[in-house]
Amino acid sequence: MMQNVLNGLARLCVSSSRNVLIQNVPEKSLSTFVNIGHYHQQYRFINKHAYQTEPGWKAFGNKWMVKFPEQYTIKKLRLEKLAGRDPLTGKRVVGGLGGGHKKKYRWVDNCRHGPKEGPPLVEKILQIQYDPCRSARIALIAGGDKARYIIATTSMKVGDLISTSGHIPRIAIRPKEGDAHPLGALPVGTEICCVEKYVGEGSSIAVVAGSRAFLVRKVGDRCIVQMPSKQELSLKQECMATVGRVSNEEHSSHHIGSAQRLRWLGFRPRSGLWHRKDGRHGRKIRPLPPLKVIDTRKVEVESAASLTVGAIC
């Protein structure tokens, strides 16, 4: 009994002395100490990369971060892997991520905006490339003195000309795959991809490999779009969309083949993790949600405080 009490007091003294050591050591010399606990590892991660202080960094979930320059460029950008850690705190919040082959980020322009009056913007496809940071193929296009990356569709080929227009005519146009038009200019039943959810913010619907959406009907100045999940969205007719289907539609049917390939892709072993229920008494099939109307993004405005001065009697 006495031996257990003495062991407990010894552990308490060691832990308290370790905390005092960490608090009294300056920040610059903290990296010279080894095996001083989890707090040292977390602090070193934040201090090494300094994501909070350097401008231009943008996090893509908890997988990687990219440093964007001030102006658009087609050069390959620097990419830092997060390995499932939060970009602000450095704590590990997602398991199963880490490692993988070295890669560079290609800046894809999701905003295909053309002139609302006059002839459309015509660009030529220079290359169809593989992008390690996304499942779809990307196309390098150029028009005039500008070049940019866009998400490629299935029938895009090198040397083709694609057009981008923001005009909405009275009668629907005849769509051509690869061209970008507002939803109000396309006929009902058109197969589309890379659809804008909010006007001017870039495409965010049907942008992964093999995905597509359909323009099912028009109601006034609204366009009803059926997403790949069969849910319907009511969007403004000014939202831009690309005609066709996203390239690399065989992506979902590819077989991984080995555990080592998953490590190359940046995924760690998943043994012992949570598994979705399946079988007869597992996941239930429920009806689709009702039509969702999307108008404009809501911006919270702080109410100004009013001060009143009372008369002093």
Side-chain angles (χ1 to χ4, degrees), residues 126-167:
L126 303 181
Q127 295 178 0
I128 303 292
Q129 299 182 6
Y130 163 78
D131 190 354
C133 297
R134 67 185 72 242
S135 57
R137 300 289 183 260
I138 58 176
L140 178 61
I141 62 176
D145 57 347
K146 296 182 180 180
R148 58 176 177 168
Y149 285 113
I150 63 170
I151 296 179
T153 58
T154 54
S155 65
M156 280 188 179
K157 297 180 181 179
V158 177
D160 292 348
L161 298 178
I162 56 176
S163 62
T164 304
S165 175
H167 177 61

mmCIF file of all heavy atoms in Angstrom, residues 126-167:
data_model
loop_
_atom_site.group_PDB
_atom_site.id
_atom_site.type_symbol
_atom_site.label_atom_id
_atom_site.label_comp_id
_atom_site.label_asym_id
_atom_site.label_seq_id
_atom_site.Cartn_x
_atom_site.Cartn_y
_atom_site.Cartn_z
ATOM 1 N N LEU A 126 -5.810 23.234 -76.223
ATOM 2 C CA LEU A 126 -4.407 22.940 -76.512
ATOM 3 C C LEU A 126 -3.987 21.565 -76.007
ATOM 4 O O LEU A 126 -3.254 20.850 -76.689
ATOM 5 C CB LEU A 126 -3.509 24.017 -75.885
ATOM 6 C CG LEU A 126 -3.781 25.463 -76.313
ATOM 7 C CD1 LEU A 126 -2.809 26.401 -75.620
ATOM 8 C CD2 LEU A 126 -3.690 25.612 -77.823
ATOM 9 N N GLN A 127 -4.446 21.191 -74.802
ATOM 10 C CA GLN A 127 -4.044 19.917 -74.205
ATOM 11 C C GLN A 127 -5.183 19.361 -73.362
ATOM 12 O O GLN A 127 -6.009 20.117 -72.838
ATOM 13 C CB GLN A 127 -2.795 20.077 -73.320
ATOM 14 C CG GLN A 127 -1.532 20.476 -74.052
ATOM 15 C CD GLN A 127 -0.363 20.670 -73.109
ATOM 16 O OE1 GLN A 127 -0.489 20.514 -71.896
ATOM 17 N NE2 GLN A 127 0.798 21.021 -73.652
ATOM 18 N N ILE A 128 -5.202 18.039 -73.250
ATOM 19 C CA ILE A 128 -6.066 17.333 -72.299
ATOM 20 C C ILE A 128 -5.131 16.618 -71.332
ATOM 21 O O ILE A 128 -4.377 15.733 -71.737
ATOM 22 C CB ILE A 128 -7.005 16.331 -72.988
ATOM 23 C CG1 ILE A 128 -7.870 17.042 -74.036
ATOM 24 C CG2 ILE A 128 -7.877 15.625 -71.960
ATOM 25 C CD1 ILE A 128 -8.875 18.008 -73.467
ATOM 26 N N GLN A 129 -5.173 16.994 -70.056
ATOM 27 C CA GLN A 129 -4.177 16.528 -69.099
ATOM 28 C C GLN A 129 -4.825 15.759 -67.954
ATOM 29 O O GLN A 129 -6.024 15.883 -67.683
ATOM 30 C CB GLN A 129 -3.395 17.718 -68.523
ATOM 31 C CG GLN A 129 -2.630 18.530 -69.538
ATOM 32 C CD GLN A 129 -1.856 19.657 -68.900
ATOM 33 O OE1 GLN A 129 -1.794 19.767 -67.670
ATOM 34 N NE2 GLN A 129 -1.259 20.510 -69.717
ATOM 35 N N TYR A 130 -3.980 14.978 -67.295
ATOM 36 C CA TYR A 130 -4.356 14.295 -66.051
ATOM 37 C C TYR A 130 -4.068 15.215 -64.878
ATOM 38 O O TYR A 130 -3.020 15.868 -64.824
ATOM 39 C CB TYR A 130 -3.562 12.992 -65.915
ATOM 40 C CG TYR A 130 -3.559 12.408 -64.525
ATOM 41 C CD1 TYR A 130 -4.659 11.708 -64.045
ATOM 42 C CD2 TYR A 130 -2.456 12.552 -63.691
ATOM 43 C CE1 TYR A 130 -4.656 11.165 -62.770
ATOM 44 C CE2 TYR A 130 -2.438 12.015 -62.418
ATOM 45 C CZ TYR A 130 -3.547 11.324 -61.961
ATOM 46 O OH TYR A 130 -3.537 10.794 -60.699
ATOM 47 N N ASP A 131 -5.000 15.277 -63.940
ATOM 48 C CA ASP A 131 -4.839 16.118 -62.755
ATOM 49 C C ASP A 131 -4.793 15.214 -61.530
ATOM 50 O O ASP A 131 -5.768 14.511 -61.238
ATOM 51 C CB ASP A 131 -6.001 17.103 -62.639
ATOM 52 C CG ASP A 131 -5.762 18.149 -61.560
ATOM 53 O OD1 ASP A 131 -4.752 18.034 -60.846
ATOM 54 O OD2 ASP A 131 -6.577 19.078 -61.431
ATOM 55 N N PRO A 132 -3.683 15.199 -60.784
ATOM 56 C CA PRO A 132 -3.608 14.315 -59.614
ATOM 57 C C PRO A 132 -4.475 14.757 -58.446
ATOM 58 O O PRO A 132 -4.672 13.979 -57.515
ATOM 59 C CB PRO A 132 -2.116 14.369 -59.243
ATOM 60 C CG PRO A 132 -1.657 15.687 -59.749
ATOM 61 C CD PRO A 132 -2.430 15.941 -60.998
ATOM 62 N N CYS A 133 -4.997 15.977 -58.481
ATOM 63 C CA CYS A 133 -5.783 16.497 -57.360
ATOM 64 C C CYS A 133 -7.283 16.409 -57.592
ATOM 65 O O CYS A 133 -8.054 16.888 -56.761
ATOM 66 C CB CYS A 133 -5.393 17.949 -57.078
ATOM 67 S SG CYS A 133 -3.678 18.152 -56.567
ATOM 68 N N ARG A 134 -7.725 15.832 -58.691
ATOM 69 C CA ARG A 134 -9.153 15.670 -58.954
ATOM 70 C C ARG A 134 -9.358 14.436 -59.815
ATOM 71 O O ARG A 134 -8.423 13.936 -60.451
ATOM 72 C CB ARG A 134 -9.750 16.924 -59.595
ATOM 73 C CG ARG A 134 -9.253 17.203 -60.990
ATOM 74 C CD ARG A 134 -9.795 18.518 -61.514
ATOM 75 N NE ARG A 134 -9.172 19.643 -60.839
ATOM 76 C CZ ARG A 134 -9.834 20.518 -60.105
ATOM 77 N NH1 ARG A 134 -11.136 20.392 -59.947
ATOM 78 N NH2 ARG A 134 -9.210 21.523 -59.522
ATOM 79 N N SER A 135 -10.589 13.956 -59.862
ATOM 80 C CA SER A 135 -10.879 12.731 -60.600
ATOM 81 C C SER A 135 -11.106 12.981 -62.086
ATOM 82 O O SER A 135 -10.895 12.082 -62.899
ATOM 83 C CB SER A 135 -12.116 12.051 -60.004
ATOM 84 O OG SER A 135 -13.228 12.936 -60.020
ATOM 85 N N ALA A 136 -11.538 14.169 -62.469
ATOM 86 C CA ALA A 136 -11.808 14.468 -63.869
ATOM 87 C C ALA A 136 -10.539 14.908 -64.584
ATOM 88 O O ALA A 136 -9.553 15.319 -63.961
ATOM 89 C CB ALA A 136 -12.877 15.556 -63.977
ATOM 90 N N ARG A 137 -10.560 14.827 -65.906
ATOM 91 C CA ARG A 137 -9.474 15.360 -66.723
ATOM 92 C C ARG A 137 -9.655 16.871 -66.874
ATOM 93 O O ARG A 137 -10.770 17.388 -66.794
ATOM 94 C CB ARG A 137 -9.454 14.690 -68.097
ATOM 95 C CG ARG A 137 -9.254 13.188 -68.040
ATOM 96 C CD ARG A 137 -7.839 12.850 -67.616
ATOM 97 N NE ARG A 137 -7.611 11.408 -67.633
ATOM 98 C CZ ARG A 137 -7.645 10.636 -66.572
ATOM 99 N NH1 ARG A 137 -7.921 11.166 -65.393
ATOM 100 N NH2 ARG A 137 -7.420 9.340 -66.650
ATOM 101 N N ILE A 138 -8.557 17.558 -67.112
ATOM 102 C CA ILE A 138 -8.609 19.003 -67.298
ATOM 103 C C ILE A 138 -8.096 19.336 -68.690
ATOM 104 O O ILE A 138 -7.300 18.594 -69.273
ATOM 105 C CB ILE A 138 -7.790 19.743 -66.223
ATOM 106 C CG1 ILE A 138 -6.328 19.293 -66.244
ATOM 107 C CG2 ILE A 138 -8.399 19.540 -64.855
ATOM 108 C CD1 ILE A 138 -5.444 20.056 -65.278
ATOM 109 N N ALA A 139 -8.583 20.457 -69.214
ATOM 110 C CA ALA A 139 -8.214 20.907 -70.553
ATOM 111 C C ALA A 139 -7.541 22.265 -70.457
ATOM 112 O O ALA A 139 -8.034 23.162 -69.759
ATOM 113 C CB ALA A 139 -9.446 20.990 -71.453
ATOM 114 N N LEU A 140 -6.429 22.399 -71.144
ATOM 115 C CA LEU A 140 -5.732 23.680 -71.247
ATOM 116 C C LEU A 140 -6.232 24.380 -72.499
ATOM 117 O O LEU A 140 -6.033 23.896 -73.615
ATOM 118 C CB LEU A 140 -4.222 23.468 -71.311
ATOM 119 C CG LEU A 140 -3.370 24.730 -71.479
ATOM 120 C CD1 LEU A 140 -3.560 25.678 -70.302
ATOM 121 C CD2 LEU A 140 -1.895 24.369 -71.647
ATOM 122 N N ILE A 141 -6.911 25.516 -72.314
ATOM 123 C CA ILE A 141 -7.482 26.255 -73.435
ATOM 124 C C ILE A 141 -6.863 27.645 -73.471
ATOM 125 O O ILE A 141 -6.342 28.144 -72.466
ATOM 126 C CB ILE A 141 -9.020 26.354 -73.323
ATOM 127 C CG1 ILE A 141 -9.416 27.116 -72.053
ATOM 128 C CG2 ILE A 141 -9.636 24.967 -73.323
ATOM 129 C CD1 ILE A 141 -10.909 27.347 -71.927
ATOM 130 N N ALA A 142 -6.921 28.261 -74.641
ATOM 131 C CA ALA A 142 -6.346 29.593 -74.819
ATOM 132 C C ALA A 142 -7.196 30.361 -75.808
ATOM 133 O O ALA A 142 -7.695 29.802 -76.796
ATOM 134 C CB ALA A 142 -4.900 29.510 -75.310
ATOM 135 N N GLY A 143 -7.357 31.649 -75.526
ATOM 136 C CA GLY A 143 -8.065 32.552 -76.413
ATOM 137 C C GLY A 143 -7.452 33.927 -76.320
ATOM 138 O O GLY A 143 -7.409 34.517 -75.235
ATOM 139 N N GLY A 144 -6.940 34.443 -77.439
ATOM 140 C CA GLY A 144 -6.240 35.723 -77.405
ATOM 141 C C GLY A 144 -4.879 35.563 -76.752
ATOM 142 O O GLY A 144 -4.064 34.732 -77.152
ATOM 143 N N ASP A 145 -4.622 36.358 -75.721
ATOM 144 C CA ASP A 145 -3.348 36.286 -75.004
ATOM 145 C C ASP A 145 -3.503 35.657 -73.630
ATOM 146 O O ASP A 145 -2.636 35.820 -72.772
ATOM 147 C CB ASP A 145 -2.746 37.686 -74.861
ATOM 148 C CG ASP A 145 -3.691 38.643 -74.145
ATOM 149 O OD1 ASP A 145 -4.879 38.287 -73.993
ATOM 150 O OD2 ASP A 145 -3.245 39.736 -73.747
ATOM 151 N N LYS A 146 -4.597 34.925 -73.380
ATOM 152 C CA LYS A 146 -4.846 34.322 -72.079
ATOM 153 C C LYS A 146 -5.008 32.816 -72.227
ATOM 154 O O LYS A 146 -5.606 32.337 -73.197
ATOM 155 C CB LYS A 146 -6.096 34.921 -71.427
ATOM 156 C CG LYS A 146 -5.972 36.405 -71.111
ATOM 157 C CD LYS A 146 -7.220 36.921 -70.431
ATOM 158 C CE LYS A 146 -7.095 38.407 -70.118
ATOM 159 N NZ LYS A 146 -8.318 38.941 -69.453
ATOM 160 N N ALA A 147 -4.487 32.086 -71.255
ATOM 161 C CA ALA A 147 -4.626 30.631 -71.203
ATOM 162 C C ALA A 147 -5.106 30.246 -69.810
ATOM 163 O O ALA A 147 -4.771 30.908 -68.820
ATOM 164 C CB ALA A 147 -3.305 29.938 -71.527
ATOM 165 N N ARG A 148 -5.860 29.166 -69.727
ATOM 166 C CA ARG A 148 -6.406 28.731 -68.443
ATOM 167 C C ARG A 148 -6.763 27.256 -68.519
ATOM 168 O O ARG A 148 -6.856 26.669 -69.604
ATOM 169 C CB ARG A 148 -7.644 29.549 -68.067
ATOM 170 C CG ARG A 148 -8.764 29.486 -69.109
ATOM 171 C CD ARG A 148 -9.995 30.218 -68.649
ATOM 172 N NE ARG A 148 -11.039 30.223 -69.666
ATOM 173 C CZ ARG A 148 -12.297 30.589 -69.442
ATOM 174 N NH1 ARG A 148 -12.665 30.986 -68.243
ATOM 175 N NH2 ARG A 148 -13.195 30.563 -70.413
ATOM 176 N N TYR A 149 -6.964 26.674 -67.328
ATOM 177 C CA TYR A 149 -7.415 25.293 -67.206
ATOM 178 C C TYR A 149 -8.915 25.281 -66.933
ATOM 179 O O TYR A 149 -9.425 26.092 -66.155
ATOM 180 C CB TYR A 149 -6.705 24.580 -66.053
ATOM 181 C CG TYR A 149 -5.272 24.199 -66.327
ATOM 182 C CD1 TYR A 149 -4.232 24.802 -65.635
ATOM 183 C CD2 TYR A 149 -4.954 23.221 -67.263
ATOM 184 C CE1 TYR A 149 -2.918 24.449 -65.868
ATOM 185 C CE2 TYR A 149 -3.639 22.860 -67.503
ATOM 186 C CZ TYR A 149 -2.627 23.475 -66.807
ATOM 187 O OH TYR A 149 -1.325 23.123 -67.041
ATOM 188 N N ILE A 150 -9.625 24.334 -67.557
ATOM 189 C CA ILE A 150 -11.030 24.091 -67.266
ATOM 190 C C ILE A 150 -11.234 22.585 -67.137
ATOM 191 O O ILE A 150 -10.366 21.791 -67.526
ATOM 192 C CB ILE A 150 -11.967 24.665 -68.349
ATOM 193 C CG1 ILE A 150 -11.723 23.967 -69.689
ATOM 194 C CG2 ILE A 150 -11.810 26.167 -68.471
ATOM 195 C CD1 ILE A 150 -12.759 24.309 -70.746
ATOM 196 N N ILE A 151 -12.370 22.191 -66.592
ATOM 197 C CA ILE A 151 -12.712 20.775 -66.494
ATOM 198 C C ILE A 151 -13.169 20.286 -67.862
ATOM 199 O O ILE A 151 -14.043 20.884 -68.493
ATOM 200 C CB ILE A 151 -13.798 20.560 -65.435
ATOM 201 C CG1 ILE A 151 -13.253 20.948 -64.058
ATOM 202 C CG2 ILE A 151 -14.267 19.118 -65.427
ATOM 203 C CD1 ILE A 151 -14.257 20.803 -62.944
ATOM 204 N N ALA A 152 -12.581 19.204 -68.331
ATOM 205 C CA ALA A 152 -12.861 18.695 -69.672
ATOM 206 C C ALA A 152 -14.115 17.831 -69.668
ATOM 207 O O ALA A 152 -14.427 17.161 -68.678
ATOM 208 C CB ALA A 152 -11.673 17.891 -70.192
ATOM 209 N N THR A 153 -14.819 17.845 -70.793
ATOM 210 C CA THR A 153 -15.961 16.961 -70.999
ATOM 211 C C THR A 153 -15.521 15.725 -71.785
ATOM 212 O O THR A 153 -14.370 15.602 -72.196
ATOM 213 C CB THR A 153 -17.084 17.704 -71.739
ATOM 214 O OG1 THR A 153 -16.580 18.179 -73.000
ATOM 215 C CG2 THR A 153 -17.558 18.895 -70.925
ATOM 216 N N THR A 154 -16.458 14.818 -72.012
ATOM 217 C CA THR A 154 -16.101 13.522 -72.590
ATOM 218 C C THR A 154 -15.628 13.628 -74.040
ATOM 219 O O THR A 154 -14.716 12.910 -74.454
ATOM 220 C CB THR A 154 -17.307 12.578 -72.515
ATOM 221 O OG1 THR A 154 -18.444 13.213 -73.125
ATOM 222 C CG2 THR A 154 -17.631 12.248 -71.073
ATOM 223 N N SER A 155 -16.218 14.507 -74.822
ATOM 224 C CA SER A 155 -15.911 14.557 -76.254
ATOM 225 C C SER A 155 -14.900 15.633 -76.621
ATOM 226 O O SER A 155 -14.692 15.885 -77.813
ATOM 227 C CB SER A 155 -17.199 14.786 -77.056
ATOM 228 O OG SER A 155 -17.739 16.057 -76.763
ATOM 229 N N MET A 156 -14.280 16.285 -75.657
ATOM 230 C CA MET A 156 -13.284 17.309 -75.975
ATOM 231 C C MET A 156 -12.037 16.669 -76.567
ATOM 232 O O MET A 156 -11.548 15.653 -76.072
ATOM 233 C CB MET A 156 -12.918 18.107 -74.719
ATOM 234 C CG MET A 156 -13.904 19.183 -74.351
ATOM 235 S SD MET A 156 -13.282 20.227 -73.007
ATOM 236 C CE MET A 156 -14.624 21.384 -72.827
ATOM 237 N N LYS A 157 -11.509 17.284 -77.619
ATOM 238 C CA LYS A 157 -10.289 16.819 -78.269
ATOM 239 C C LYS A 157 -9.363 18.004 -78.514
ATOM 240 O O LYS A 157 -9.812 19.146 -78.596
ATOM 241 C CB LYS A 157 -10.613 16.117 -79.590
ATOM 242 C CG LYS A 157 -11.454 14.856 -79.433
ATOM 243 C CD LYS A 157 -11.730 14.218 -80.778
ATOM 244 C CE LYS A 157 -12.598 12.972 -80.624
ATOM 245 N NZ LYS A 157 -12.896 12.346 -81.944
ATOM 246 N N VAL A 158 -8.092 17.690 -78.643
ATOM 247 C CA VAL A 158 -7.102 18.735 -78.888
ATOM 248 C C VAL A 158 -7.355 19.351 -80.259
ATOM 249 O O VAL A 158 -7.517 18.643 -81.258
ATOM 250 C CB VAL A 158 -5.677 18.160 -78.800
ATOM 251 C CG1 VAL A 158 -4.649 19.230 -79.134
ATOM 252 C CG2 VAL A 158 -5.423 17.586 -77.418
ATOM 253 N N GLY A 159 -7.400 20.670 -80.305
ATOM 254 C CA GLY A 159 -7.647 21.388 -81.545
ATOM 255 C C GLY A 159 -9.072 21.862 -81.718
ATOM 256 O O GLY A 159 -9.341 22.666 -82.627
ATOM 257 N N ASP A 160 -10.009 21.389 -80.886
ATOM 258 C CA ASP A 160 -11.400 21.827 -81.001
ATOM 259 C C ASP A 160 -11.551 23.266 -80.512
ATOM 260 O O ASP A 160 -10.776 23.754 -79.683
ATOM 261 C CB ASP A 160 -12.319 20.912 -80.194
ATOM 262 C CG ASP A 160 -12.394 19.513 -80.784
ATOM 263 O OD1 ASP A 160 -11.926 19.336 -81.927
ATOM 264 O OD2 ASP A 160 -12.902 18.613 -80.093
ATOM 265 N N LEU A 161 -12.580 23.922 -81.022
ATOM 266 C CA LEU A 161 -12.920 25.278 -80.611
ATOM 267 C C LEU A 161 -14.178 25.231 -79.758
ATOM 268 O O LEU A 161 -15.175 24.600 -80.137
ATOM 269 C CB LEU A 161 -13.144 26.183 -81.828
ATOM 270 C CG LEU A 161 -11.940 26.381 -82.761
ATOM 271 C CD1 LEU A 161 -12.326 27.269 -83.938
ATOM 272 C CD2 LEU A 161 -10.761 26.979 -82.014
ATOM 273 N N ILE A 162 -14.136 25.872 -78.607
ATOM 274 C CA ILE A 162 -15.289 25.946 -77.714
ATOM 275 C C ILE A 162 -15.622 27.416 -77.494
ATOM 276 O O ILE A 162 -14.745 28.284 -77.524
ATOM 277 C CB ILE A 162 -15.022 25.245 -76.370
ATOM 278 C CG1 ILE A 162 -13.791 25.827 -75.689
ATOM 279 C CG2 ILE A 162 -14.855 23.750 -76.572
ATOM 280 C CD1 ILE A 162 -13.515 25.247 -74.320
ATOM 281 N N SER A 163 -16.888 27.688 -77.278
ATOM 282 C CA SER A 163 -17.354 29.064 -77.124
ATOM 283 C C SER A 163 -18.022 29.237 -75.770
ATOM 284 O O SER A 163 -18.562 28.287 -75.192
ATOM 285 C CB SER A 163 -18.330 29.436 -78.246
ATOM 286 O OG SER A 163 -19.473 28.600 -78.197
ATOM 287 N N THR A 164 -17.995 30.462 -75.290
ATOM 288 C CA THR A 164 -18.613 30.830 -74.016
ATOM 289 C C THR A 164 -19.412 32.106 -74.236
ATOM 290 O O THR A 164 -18.868 33.109 -74.707
ATOM 291 C CB THR A 164 -17.556 31.062 -72.931
ATOM 292 O OG1 THR A 164 -16.744 29.900 -72.810
ATOM 293 C CG2 THR A 164 -18.213 31.364 -71.600
ATOM 294 N N SER A 165 -20.693 32.060 -73.905
ATOM 295 C CA SER A 165 -21.572 33.203 -74.119
ATOM 296 C C SER A 165 -22.461 33.384 -72.903
ATOM 297 O O SER A 165 -22.886 32.404 -72.272
ATOM 298 C CB SER A 165 -22.429 32.994 -75.373
ATOM 299 O OG SER A 165 -23.361 34.048 -75.518
ATOM 300 N N GLY A 166 -22.753 34.638 -72.574
ATOM 301 C CA GLY A 166 -23.652 34.958 -71.473
ATOM 302 C C GLY A 166 -24.991 35.490 -71.931
ATOM 303 O O GLY A 166 -25.784 35.963 -71.103
ATOM 304 N N HIS A 167 -25.274 35.404 -73.234
ATOM 305 C CA HIS A 167 -26.528 35.942 -73.788
ATOM 306 C C HIS A 167 -27.647 34.921 -73.630
ATOM 307 O O HIS A 167 -27.449 33.715 -73.838
ATOM 308 C CB HIS A 167 -26.327 36.290 -75.259
ATOM 309 C CG HIS A 167 -27.573 36.776 -75.931
ATOM 310 N ND1 HIS A 167 -28.244 37.915 -75.535
ATOM 311 C CD2 HIS A 167 -28.285 36.265 -76.981
ATOM 312 C CE1 HIS A 167 -29.297 38.095 -76.301
ATOM 313 N NE2 HIS A 167 -29.342 37.105 -77.186
#
